[in-house]
Amino acid sequence: MPRPDSHPTEYAERVLDIVERIPPGRVMAYGDIAELLGEGGPRQVGTVMAVWGGGVPWWRVIRADGTPAPGLEVRARSHYAAEGTPLRPSGRVDMAAARWEGPDPSEAV
DNA sequence: GCAATGACTGGTA
DNA sequence: TTACCAGCCATTG
């Protein structure tokens, strides 16, 4: 992955831009963002979040099975409680209900 | 150029 | 339900 001290690449900025657009109470999977961008893959999105994700609502980006990134589960849960994110009885995010498909075309810049 | 690594994913046991 | 495995893709050493 890129060195943390290097500046964000154009690809990274696009990933972070999408994450900032995720509405409260909604989430996206790493693979969803990669597919929305049309380039790279889930690993690349995860790498971007690991290095530069600190400046965006990273808790709205989770794995495809609804579990947040390792080590961030506790912090993520508090955010979900504050935003009213749909949770499954098992404690994971309800992807079927909370999954965000991306910005509406009418919102496109 | 090669091997290792990682906030991933989907399938199988 | 969890655990393990193979595939995936860009970056690092």
Side-chain angles (χ1 to χ4, degrees), chain A residues 7-97:
Chain A
H7 68 82
T9 64
E10 190 178 333
Y11 176 73
E13 289 186 20
R14 263 178 281 187
V15 172
L16 299 176
D17 181 62
I18 291 179
V19 176
E20 288 182 28
R21 290 167 182 269
I22 302 177
R26 297 303 211 88
V27 299
M28 283 188 84
Y30 299 93
D32 293 338
I33 296 176
E35 192 176 346
L36 191 63
L37 289 175
E39 41 185 312
R43 316 294 303 251
Q44 278 53 255
V45 175
T47 299
V48 170
M49 292 305 294
V51 179
W52 299 291
V56 298
W58 47 260
W59 56 91
R60 294 174 190 157
V61 183
I62 60 180
R63 295 207 267 194
D65 63 353
T67 57
L72 300 176
E73 299 159 333
V74 178
R75 279 181 265 179
R77 274 205 303 262
S78 61
H79 284 290
Y80 298 149
E83 296 182 356
T85 304
L87 298 178
R88 291 180 68 88
S90 51
R92 281 169 291 180
V93 175
D94 186 347
M95 289 301 283

